[in-house]
Amino acid sequence: MSDVLQQLAQILEQRKLESADKSYVASLYAKGLDSILKKIGEEATETVIAAKGGDKKQIIYETADLWFHCMVLLADQGLGPDDVLQELQRRFGLSGLEEKAQRSK
């Protein structure tokens, strides 16, 4: 599965070099961080609404949009999916309470 994330990360990096009038992602980069964050907020809200509606296909669709836009944010910040996957790996086997306590140290 992470191959898909890696492939997407590569494409998102390429889009940084493209014209904003030819690429949706390039246009987000050109508009700046606030536009990327706004899009993440919109997609998060749509994901919540889909979950409340209970339509599994819609939940998957909206979650894919949310993940996509989070990937755009990561690329914008010079990060990638491996950074997030490493953090998830670090947390693996810890209870949520343990992990949260470790963060505050």
Side-chain angles (χ1 to χ4, degrees):
M1 283 294 179
S2 66
D3 287 346
V4 171
L5 296 178
Q6 288 303 325
Q7 290 171 1
L8 177 57
Q10 289 174 354
I11 291 168
L12 294 175
E13 282 299 318
Q14 292 169 358
R15 294 298 188 264
K16 289 179 178 181
L17 305 173
E18 293 189 13
S19 171
D21 61 341
K22 301 217 184 239
S23 164
Y24 168 71
V25 172
S27 73
L28 281 177
Y29 290 140
K31 291 175 189 172
L33 181 60
D34 286 346
S35 288
I36 295 169
L37 297 176
K38 180 181 176 190
K39 199 62 187 160
I40 290 172
E42 290 171 6
E43 297 303 343
T45 299
E46 290 172 4
T47 302
V48 169
I49 291 168
K52 286 290 285 180
D55 181 335
K56 291 183 192 252
K57 286 184 180 180
Q58 194 65 26
I59 294 167
I60 292 167
Y61 179 85
E62 296 300 345
T63 301
D65 282 352
L66 177 58
W67 286 15
F68 176 84
H69 287 90
C70 286
M71 293 277 298
V72 171
L73 172 65
L74 289 172
D76 182 68
Q77 299 296 304
L79 300 167
D82 280 343
D83 297 300
V84 177
L85 293 172
Q86 287 172 8
E87 176 59 18
L88 289 172
Q89 181 65 42
R90 183 191 70 77
R91 295 179 186 189
F92 195 80
L94 291 175
S95 78
L97 297 175
E98 280 181 287
E99 192 281 322
K100 190 172 181 178
Q102 286 181 359
R103 272 191 267 166
S104 61
K105 292 181 182 175

